Amino acid sequence: MIGKAFSETHYLDALDRMIRRLSTLNPKREALIDEYNRIQAGDFGEKVVIEVLEQLQLPYHFYVFHNLSLLLETRVQFDVLFLTAHYIIILEVKNIKGTVVLRQNPSQLVRTLPNGEVNVFNSPEPQLEEYMYQLKSFFLNKGLNIPIYGAIVFPFTSSFIEQNSNKTTILRKNELKSFIRNIPVSTESITDNI
């Protein structure tokens, strides 16, 4: 069941309006267009993941929340939060074209495009680990010990992943249902009336 349905990032509309108002000669216009395209691609990847989860059938109730923002230890924003009475999954969705390498020490995501252009981004691994830690702490403070899992999802084959890290589960869209079905289910950690 969808607890919070997919919705586009509101910031996209503001960016679009700003880009339209700027002169084509404005030096900031290109950077804003790049940001718009990056956010739009991210939204599209998250939408595809939500569509996969809408088709999922499990023998117990589950709820899917898109783009959920919570104030825990700090403010966190989950791309997709999958909630059951047995466990929780945090999905960090990355719609990135090119060859992707997740490096450690320092943690970074390095993307190489077919034309040879190399871009370095913050790695999603520390972010996912932090979100899992904060959510686990939140539930423990409420007296609930619920297993929390996390995965980074690359929804499209336009990403060629060269994973240098084995710390985090990395999935493709077609692996998502199997990953969820293979999570061990024991007694309910929270009531089924969530």
Side-chain angles (χ1 to χ4, degrees), residues 19 37 45 52 54 58 65 72 81 93 95 101 103-104 108 113 119 128 146-147 155 158 161 165 184 190:
I19 290 166
N37 291 336
V52 169
E54 286 176 334
L58 295 172
F65 298 88
L72 301 173
L81 186 74
V93 182
N95 183 7
V101 179
R103 294 198 178 142
Q104 300 298 311
Q108 56 187 355
L113 294 171
N119 305 105
L128 182 60
I146 185 164
S158 57
I161 293 97
S165 166
I190 52 181

Side-chain angles (χ1 to χ4, degrees), residues 121-163:
F121 304 96
N122 288 331
S123 173
E125 287 183 294
Q127 176 185 340
L128 182 60
E129 289 172 13
E130 180 63 21
Y131 287 3
M132 290 170 64
Y133 172 82
Q134 286 193 35
L135 196 58
K136 182 75 170 173
S137 295
F138 172 81
F139 279 107
L140 285 174
N141 287 336
K142 303 293 182 195
L144 300 169
N145 187 13
I146 185 164
I148 297 179
Y149 301 91
I152 299 169
V153 182
F154 289 88
F156 302 108
T157 57
S158 57
S159 302
F160 176 73
I161 293 97
E162 289 183 10
Q163 181 183 358

Side-chain angles (χ1 to χ4, degrees), residues 22-165:
L22 289 176
S23 158
T24 56
L25 302 174
N26 189 309
K28 295 185 179 185
R29 191 169 194 273
E30 194 63 37
L32 291 173
I33 290 171
D34 287 346
E35 184 173 358
Y36 179 89
N37 291 336
R38 182 183 55 78
I39 293 170
Q40 188 177 45
D43 276 0
F44 185 61
E46 292 168 14
K47 181 179 181 183
V48 167
V49 168
I50 294 290
E51 288 170 354
V52 169
L53 295 176
E54 286 176 334
Q55 301 165 4
L56 182 64
Q57 295 183 16
L58 295 172
Y60 46 87
H61 295 292
F62 64 89
Y63 300 89
V64 178
F65 298 88
H66 173 252
N67 207 12
L68 183 66
S69 181
L70 297 176
L71 181 59
L72 301 173
E73 184 179 306
T74 60
R75 181 157 307 279
V76 297
Q77 186 164 354
F78 303 105
D79 289 346
V80 179
L81 186 74
F82 188 91
L83 177 67
T84 76
H86 309 281
Y87 60 85
I88 296 171
I89 306 171
I90 300 169
L91 299 174
E92 184 64 28
V93 182
K94 295 296 173 196
N95 183 7
I96 300 175
K97 292 181 181 179
T99 301
V100 176
V101 179
L102 294 168
R103 294 198 178 142
Q104 300 298 311
N105 221 9
S107 293
Q108 56 187 355
L109 184 150
V110 180
R111 187 250 325 254
T112 305
L113 294 171
N115 66 5
E117 179 183 340
V118 177
N119 305 105
V120 178
F121 304 96
N122 288 331
S123 173
E125 287 183 294
Q127 176 185 340
L128 182 60
E129 289 172 13
E130 180 63 21
Y131 287 3
M132 290 170 64
Y133 172 82
Q134 286 193 35
L135 196 58
K136 182 75 170 173
S137 295
F138 172 81
F139 279 107
L140 285 174
N141 287 336
K142 303 293 182 195
L144 300 169
N145 187 13
I146 185 164
I148 297 179
Y149 301 91
I152 299 169
V153 182
F154 289 88
F156 302 108
T157 57
S158 57
S159 302
F160 176 73
I161 293 97
E162 289 183 10
Q163 181 183 358
N164 286 352
S165 166

Side-chain angles (χ1 to χ4, degrees), residues 168-184:
T168 307
T169 301
I170 309 290
L171 301 171
R172 291 279 194 194
K173 170 183 72 173
N174 63 326
E175 298 173 301
L176 195 51
K177 288 181 184 179
S178 176
F179 170 74
I180 293 171
R181 288 186 184 119
N182 285 311
I183 290 179

